[in-house]
Amino acid sequence: MNSANDGSTYLYVYDGIPVVNVSPLGSGRPDTDTLLARFNRLDTDQDVRRIVRDLDIRWVYVDAEAPGIGVVQGGYPWYTGPSPFTLAPGLTGLDAVTGLDRRFTSGSVSVYEVDPSLLAPAAGGVDGP
């Protein structure tokens, strides 16, 4: 998963890696919009955890200094902050999220691995806290 305004989409396509976001402001699909807004709640949000499982997200690429993108207020319900923005709100504060491990950092870019245990369905089909 990525924010798409950071140049990572090219890397995914070049190496044949499936990509979740190809548009910096989301695809308009509720699931990807939810991730852009709330991915950093992976450890507490059952909906986010389900989406991560459904999309088989294993790695997250984040550039804290990606180019700014203008956002029309009200055009993207998941984003209510100032325009332009450089990082989707759900991709901030990932170091504090249980179940994510930062595996690589270079400058402002970090790559996180999603704990594989979060990808397995919970017993009885219901996610825990």
Side-chain angles (χ1 to χ4, degrees):
M1 188 179 100
N2 63 321
S3 191
N5 62 315
D6 54 24
S8 62
T9 303
Y10 174 78
L11 175 65
Y12 285 97
V13 172
Y14 182 80
D15 285 335
I17 299 170
V19 63
V20 173
N21 287 313
V22 293
S23 172
L25 296 174
S27 65
R29 289 187 56 216
D31 285 353
T32 58
D33 288 352
T34 296
L35 293 177
L36 289 172
R38 304 189 330 239
F39 181 80
N40 55 5
R41 300 180 196 166
L42 175 65
D43 52 354
T44 60
D45 188 319
Q46 294 176 19
D47 215 22
V48 169
R49 197 174 298 171
R50 176 195 55 79
I51 295 167
V52 167
R53 244 194 333 270
D54 289 351
L55 296 177
D56 195 24
I57 295 173
R58 298 172 190 232
W59 299 94
V60 182
Y61 179 108
V62 178
D63 185 345
E65 296 178 8
I69 296 195
V71 180
V72 175
Q73 293 302 318
Y76 298 88
W78 59 267
Y79 186 75
T80 58
S83 181
F85 84 94
T86 59
L87 189 59
L91 296 178
T92 63
L94 298 184
D95 286 328
V97 177
T98 302
L100 289 180
D101 293 310
R102 188 172 7 162
R103 298 295 187 187
F104 174 81
T105 301
S106 178
S108 62
V109 172
S110 294
V111 177
Y112 296 85
E113 181 179 15
V114 175
D115 185 328
S117 69
L118 294 177
L119 298 174
V126 177
D127 282 324

